[in-house]
Amino acid sequence: GLVIGEVPPHYWETPYSQPYFDNSSRREVTATVGQAALLHCRVRNLGDRAVSWIRKRDLHILTVGILTYTNDQRFQSLHSEGSDEWTLRISSPQPRDSGTYECQVSTEPKISQGFRLNVVVSRAKILGNAELFIKSGSDINLTCLAMQSPVPPSFIYWYKGKRVMNYSQRGGINVITERSTRTSKLLIAKATSADSGNYTCSPSSSDSASVVVHVINGEHPAAMQHGNSSASSLRWRPVPLLALTTSTTTAAFAVTWNWNWSSGGLLLTWLPAALANSWRRHWSTSWS
């Protein structure tokens, strides 16, 4: 006895006609500072009900339908006509925006689904020391990582000062970037003193990182990157070949020997006996 197009009065009371959430959406989202964060809520059988987004920590209503109910205009509800998806978009998110957000449907009683947002600061990191000393003629080899980046960076640029190294006209420069591993390598062959300077790695959507490179003709005791010329670099290794003390003086002394393995040179160091004894005790426990 129904006219085509009508539905029985009890149809809207059946459980199959009530709104329900499609659980295929990601419930935990990680975003980086400065990149828009999107939370996708899918509601089936919505009918004439309204979808709202609530910030859980203070129960603040952010959006109702496609209208924004907060003075913070970074929050916006996105919805296409006829779609089951209601998306909360947060432009330029900050770490303080991390937390739980609820997608709420105006049924009686109300139903809701929680989404966890983590906003992180993506930083670049150049492996090694913050200051490197390279022997002239060696290769400069720098490796950069994009840390805490939820998605691979779309690009990673290298700079020397303000000059982009990726497109440098100097021969012998090679940049190898692997988006899947979020790494980039800068290789400079046969470095000269003109290659000294501040080198910066700058991935997209990440804070940059820098390292100071010194290309030198002489020696430097620490932070030396040897590149292809490591065989000719200076390496010192202490060898306790001899320890002597004098019996005719009140202040006794001991002599220690250091051998330069590349040049064959020998370095003798005289120490007060008290310091030498302490040195020998340390050496006897650490030598193997």
Side-chain angles (χ1 to χ4, degrees):
L2 293 175
V3 179
I4 295 176
E6 293 182 354
V7 294
H10 63 276
Y11 174 82
W12 297 109
E13 300 174 3
T14 60
Y16 303 104
S17 65
Q18 295 298 305
Y20 65 94
F21 293 106
D22 182 336
N23 292 319
S24 62
S25 300
R26 290 173 54 196
R27 304 284 297 280
E28 184 162 357
V29 175
T30 299
T32 56
V33 169
Q35 293 294 302
L38 300 174
L39 304 180
H40 301 285
C41 178
R42 294 187 177 95
V43 185
R44 306 294 189 189
N45 290 340
L46 180 62
D48 59 354
R49 279 79 166 184
V51 174
S52 303
W53 280 99
I54 313 295
R55 186 166 55 204
K56 187 66 178 295
R57 73 166 182 261
D58 55 5
L59 299 180
H60 189 78
I61 299 175
L62 302 173
T63 65
V64 177
I66 60 173
L67 302 178
T68 300
Y69 273 72
T70 176
N71 292 329
D72 191 341
Q73 296 302 308
R74 297 179 304 131
F75 294 91
Q76 181 184 10
S77 177
L78 306 178
H79 175 70
S80 299
E81 186 69 28
S83 170
D84 292 326
E85 187 165 281
W86 298 79
T87 300
L88 178 66
R89 183 182 191 272
I90 308 173
S91 59
S92 300
Q94 301 298 316
R96 68 176 184 273
D97 295 317
S98 297
T100 301
Y101 294 81
E102 282 192 353
C103 174
Q104 189 178 97
V105 180
S106 61
T107 54
E108 189 57 46
K110 291 181 175 60
I111 60 174
S112 62
Q113 189 174 63
F115 293 79
R116 176 70 188 180
L117 174 64
N118 303 304
V119 182
V120 299
V121 179
S122 179
R123 294 185 175 89
K125 178 182 180 181
I126 299 177
L127 301 183
N129 297 321
E131 194 171 13
L132 295 178
F133 294 85
I134 311 295
K135 189 172 183 181
S136 180
S138 300
D139 294 347
I140 299 175
N141 187 345
L142 303 176
T143 300
C144 176
L145 303 177
M147 310 291 288
Q148 288 189 315
S149 179
V151 295
S154 56
F155 61 83
I156 299 179
Y157 284 153
W158 285 92
Y159 295 86
K160 179 177 181 284
K162 295 183 179 180
R163 181 164 57 94
V164 180
M165 300 297 293
N166 299 57
Y167 313 109
S168 175
Q169 298 301 313
R170 178 201 186 281
I173 292 181
N174 192 17
V175 176
I176 304 172
T177 300
E178 298 180 359
R179 293 184 67 249
S180 59
T181 58
R182 300 165 171 79
T183 62
S184 182
K185 294 180 181 293
L186 173 64
L187 306 174
I188 303 177
K190 298 180 179 179
T192 67
S193 58
D195 296 312
S196 297
N198 188 299
Y199 288 81
T200 300
C201 168
S202 182
S204 61
S205 308
S206 296
D207 290 349
S208 60
S210 297
V211 60
V212 178
V213 175
H214 304 274
V215 181
I216 57 178
N217 295 320
E219 308 170 7
H220 196 279
M224 177 76 78
Q225 184 188 93
H226 303 293
N228 290 342
S229 301
S230 59
S232 62
S233 62
L234 298 177
R235 302 185 195 176
W236 292 93
R237 182 177 178 182
V239 181
L241 297 179
L242 180 63
L244 300 175
T245 59
T246 63
S247 58
T248 59
T249 59
T250 304
F253 291 88
V255 62
T256 63
W257 303 60
N258 286 290
W259 183 262
N260 186 328
W261 291 94
S262 59
S263 64
L266 194 63
L267 177 68
L268 287 77
T269 303
W270 290 88
L271 300 174
L275 180 60
N277 291 334
S278 174
W279 179 86
R280 283 199 300 271
R281 287 195 298 271
H282 171 73
W283 186 267
S284 64
T285 60
S286 60
W287 177 263
S288 58

